[in-house]
Amino acid sequence: MTAVDPQQLRTFVTVARLGSFSDAARELGYTQSAVSQQIAALEADLGTALLVRRPVGPTAAGQRLLEHAAPLLVRLAAARADVARLAGAPSARLVLGATPLAVGAELGRALGEVRREYPGAEVEVRILGHDALPAQVATGDLDLALVDGLAAPSDPLPLPEVGPLTTVAVDERPLAVALPTGHPLAGRTGLALADLSAARWLDAPDLAPGAARLRAATGVDGFRPAARYCGTDLHGLLALIATGHGLALLPEPAGAGVGAGADGVAYVPVAAPRLVHRTELLHGSLPEGPAALLARLLAG
């Protein structure tokens, strides 16, 4: 067996994702016959069928190849982007990705300094989910990213391995359980997460740790979500908490007092286990320019 052709692999992934040879041909800019030939060549090389044709979908072997294909293609794109950054001229454009809770006043001040140093810089900030950011930085879709999450004090965030990225801690804040101000626990000075495993929780994957992460952190089963919130708007999540639809684990706002909270939400500090809300900066090679300056300002 020869080495797998990356283009054939990319074509296979596209066909499997779209469930159609013709749709894949349109997306990739090929003829349908060219797509069929690439799939046939890949199957011949691997010695097994990868797709069933009616309806189009992966075989068991094809499903296993898909599990390997996504990270392989990301690493290939990351290598190309990394070399291009090193070889390219400095760019006056800055594209920053961030998870919703990673954006704060410090970022605003740092961007202001970048604009003063590079008054002609084009600045774009994209608010995205946790899972998308590392790969987009590695492949050059983003210059750098701010990612937040749950961690033990001074421990790095558990991020996917997508290439040689630099990771720098920029902030650690206390965690709190967000609950309605009228909740019986709203006046507590601290809460153990394990004691809340049977409570109603909100599943908000882009804003707060999910049930699996809470179970792993506490070693306790439970934390079953009462409702799912799909979005990056924190105000919408807080409205659901305030009206009793569930709890969420969030960074404690500056100046929040026990039992007090804006918009009907109280924040009670997490007493156990020892966890923090951590924000990290991710970037690859950065030629001198707006992105490199922003990275230095945030890391400093």
Side-chain angles (χ1 to χ4, degrees), residues 162-261:
V162 293
L165 297 182
T166 298
T167 305
V168 182
V170 297
D171 187 39
E172 281 192 358
R173 295 167 60 189
L175 279 163
V177 178
L179 36 71
T181 52
H183 194 284
L185 300 177
R188 295 283 189 92
T189 57
L191 290 170
L193 287 180
D195 295 339
L196 299 173
S197 61
R200 292 165 55 87
W201 288 85
L202 285 167
D203 181 15
D206 290 325
L207 290 167
R213 188 74 181 91
L214 294 175
R215 288 194 290 267
T218 59
V220 176
D221 196 14
F223 300 100
R224 308 301 177 195
R228 184 174 177 84
Y229 180 78
C230 298
T232 59
D233 180 10
L234 179 60
H235 295 293
L237 177 63
L238 294 178
L240 291 178
I241 294 170
T243 50
H245 292 281
L247 315 181
L249 191 61
L250 295 171
E252 185 176 311
V258 174

Side-chain angles (χ1 to χ4, degrees), residues 59-261:
T59 63
Q63 186 60 49
R64 181 57 57 87
L65 181 60
L66 285 172
E67 294 170 7
H68 291 284
L72 285 172
L73 291 174
V74 168
R75 289 303 296 265
L76 285 169
R80 181 183 293 274
D82 207 24
V83 171
R85 280 191 293 260
L86 288 171
S91 173
R93 188 164 183 258
L94 165 60
V95 184
L96 169 73
T99 48
L101 299 185
V103 176
E106 286 191 7
L107 173 61
R109 287 191 289 269
L111 285 174
E113 184 65 27
V114 170
R115 286 189 175 279
R116 283 188 288 274
E117 184 72 21
Y118 296 95
E122 299 176 26
V123 177
E124 181 179 338
V125 179
R126 302 177 187 172
I127 304 301
L128 301 167
H130 296 76
D131 295 339
L133 288 169
Q136 291 200 25
V137 173
T139 57
D141 293 330
L142 301 171
D143 294 312
L144 61 174
L146 287 168
V147 183
D148 74 296
L150 184 68
S154 300
D155 278 1
L157 293 176
L159 298 173
E161 174 56 46
V162 293
L165 297 182
T166 298
T167 305
V168 182
V170 297
D171 187 39
E172 281 192 358
R173 295 167 60 189
L175 279 163
V177 178
L179 36 71
T181 52
H183 194 284
L185 300 177
R188 295 283 189 92
T189 57
L191 290 170
L193 287 180
D195 295 339
L196 299 173
S197 61
R200 292 165 55 87
W201 288 85
L202 285 167
D203 181 15
D206 290 325
L207 290 167
R213 188 74 181 91
L214 294 175
R215 288 194 290 267
T218 59
V220 176
D221 196 14
F223 300 100
R224 308 301 177 195
R228 184 174 177 84
Y229 180 78
C230 298
T232 59
D233 180 10
L234 179 60
H235 295 293
L237 177 63
L238 294 178
L240 291 178
I241 294 170
T243 50
H245 292 281
L247 315 181
L249 191 61
L250 295 171
E252 185 176 311
V258 174

